[in-house]
Amino acid sequence: MTTRTASFADRTVFRVGYGALQLERLHDRRGEAVALLRRAVELGVDHVDTAEFYGFGFANDVIREALRPEDDVLVVTKVGAAPDPGGRLPLRLAQRPEQLRAGVEDNLRSLGVDRLDVVNLRRLDTGPGLRPAGDQVVDLDDQLAVMTALRDEGEIGAIGLSSVTLDGLRRALPADLVCVQNAYSLVSRGDEDMLRLCAAEGIAWVPFFPLGGAFPGLPKATDEPAVHAVAESLGVTPSQVGLAWLLHHAPNVLLIPGTANAAHLEANIAVSEITLDAATLAALDAVESRSSDVPIG
């Protein structure tokens, strides 16, 4: 049995959180979105991942309405991209220091708070997604300088990194990071050295795309025969197996699965109760790992 809690930003949190990206699917049903987030809190969720560009601010608006001070939920947001409603993709890059500062101000305003608990600097060095060009190619040190200044000014409580390389993480360690968000799953385990470094440094590992497959061409954990075999033997879903493997794989892993469906929310949270024995873990560990380094756009 895995432990149900882990350290995150000097707090102890339930290891299964909630990713707010999917809230935008409820854009025309705001009451349902608020109720879903309230249900997550009732089920024990105490950390939520969001961004100003999720639903062009909708996710942050729902979080502002749904969460109460007494809930004591750690809200983790990110900068490095901004909403772009008229663009080919729904976001644009915003990597320059002044854009990072503006992103923090936008999140403060939309979340209705005086300080952001944790802000992830979304780099674009690795994993699936956009790649920077032109004036969006910015040195990590310049970005960390403005992030640490914002922390010193009291607008940020703690700093994380996203879509970063191992070298980038090593360079950033003096900034006293609290988390790393990279694409990582049972079928894309290329960041094992980075995961181990985070564990050694007391940094939470918060994978996005925890089941793979979010973009065309990426492998999916739920397509793996071994995953289906384990799911059948335990009476759970393949998605639950993929998430449970992450919790068993390293003690500093936290999950932020997103959903717009209350039943899926309950299934995601239930993975904290799934036990994978040594033989099962060995069968899952034998699944081939493939790259998630797919540029998009």
Side-chain angles (χ1 to χ4, degrees):
M1 187 71 176
T2 62
T3 56
R4 290 171 52 87
T5 61
S7 177
F8 189 11
D10 293 327
R11 294 172 57 167
T12 298
V13 300
F14 180 48
R15 291 179 69 191
V16 184
Y18 177 76
L21 175 62
Q22 298 299 327
L23 285 176
E24 63 183 299
R25 292 164 52 192
L26 299 173
H27 199 282
D28 297 327
R29 292 173 284 165
R30 184 185 183 94
E32 287 185 36
V34 171
L36 183 71
L37 196 51
R38 288 303 314 161
R39 180 58 177 152
V41 173
E42 291 170 3
L43 291 169
V45 166
D46 56 7
H47 60 102
V48 172
D49 179 80
T50 188
E52 174 66 20
F53 53 85
Y54 287 177
F56 310 130
F58 179 74
N60 279 6
D61 286 344
V62 169
I63 289 168
R64 180 177 184 170
E65 180 177 345
L67 298 185
R68 305 159 187 166
E70 59 267 28
D71 296 327
D72 197 26
V73 173
L74 187 75
V75 177
V76 183
T77 189
K78 58 186 67 67
V79 293
D84 187 19
R88 186 173 62 86
L89 294 174
L91 56 81
R92 59 177 173 81
L93 303 187
Q95 294 280 298
R96 295 183 60 78
E98 67 273 16
Q99 293 173 318
L100 300 179
R101 182 174 283 275
V104 166
E105 298 296 338
D106 288 342
N107 277 282
L108 286 167
R109 183 167 48 254
S110 60
L111 289 168
V113 295
D114 296 324
R115 188 185 79 155
L116 301 172
D117 295 332
V118 181
V119 179
N120 282 310
L121 165 58
R122 177 176 175 156
R123 290 282 294 181
L124 303 140
D125 302 324
T126 186
L130 297 169
R131 292 291 183 265
D135 69 355
Q136 290 300 305
V137 179
V138 182
D139 188 81
L140 175 60
D141 291 342
D142 294 336
Q143 294 178 317
L144 289 172
V146 70
M147 297 295 288
T148 53
L150 286 161
R151 186 178 59 194
D152 292 344
E153 294 162 16
E155 296 199 344
I156 290 176
I159 300 167
L161 279 181
S162 178
S163 297
V164 66
T165 63
L166 180 58
D167 178 65
L169 174 59
R170 286 173 174 148
R171 287 174 57 194
L173 286 178
D176 193 22
L177 306 174
V178 299
C179 61
V180 169
Q181 283 191 0
N182 273 21
Y184 180 86
S185 67
L186 173 65
V187 290
S188 294
R189 307 189 300 273
D191 283 338
E192 288 296 310
D193 288 345
M194 205 180 319
L195 172 54
R196 282 192 288 269
L197 177 58
C198 285
E201 295 288 338
I203 297 170
W205 183 261
V206 192
F208 64 89
F209 300 165
L211 298 173
F215 292 136
L218 293 182
K220 297 180 182 180
T222 53
D223 287 343
E224 294 295 323
V227 171
H228 280 264
V230 171
E232 185 174 354
S233 70
L234 296 179
V236 298
T237 68
S239 294
Q240 287 178 305
V241 170
L243 295 175
W245 176 85
L246 287 164
L247 292 180
H248 284 73
H249 188 60
N252 62 320
V253 172
L254 302 176
L255 300 181
I256 48 169
T259 182
N261 178 280
H264 288 164
L265 172 69
E266 294 186 13
N268 288 339
I269 292 172
V271 303
S272 66
E273 303 291 341
I274 295 174
T275 297
L276 304 178
D277 62 24
T280 300
L281 285 172
L284 294 173
D285 289 346
V287 170
E288 179 187 3
S289 174
R290 282 144 284 172
S291 174
S292 66
D293 197 20
V294 179
I296 304 298

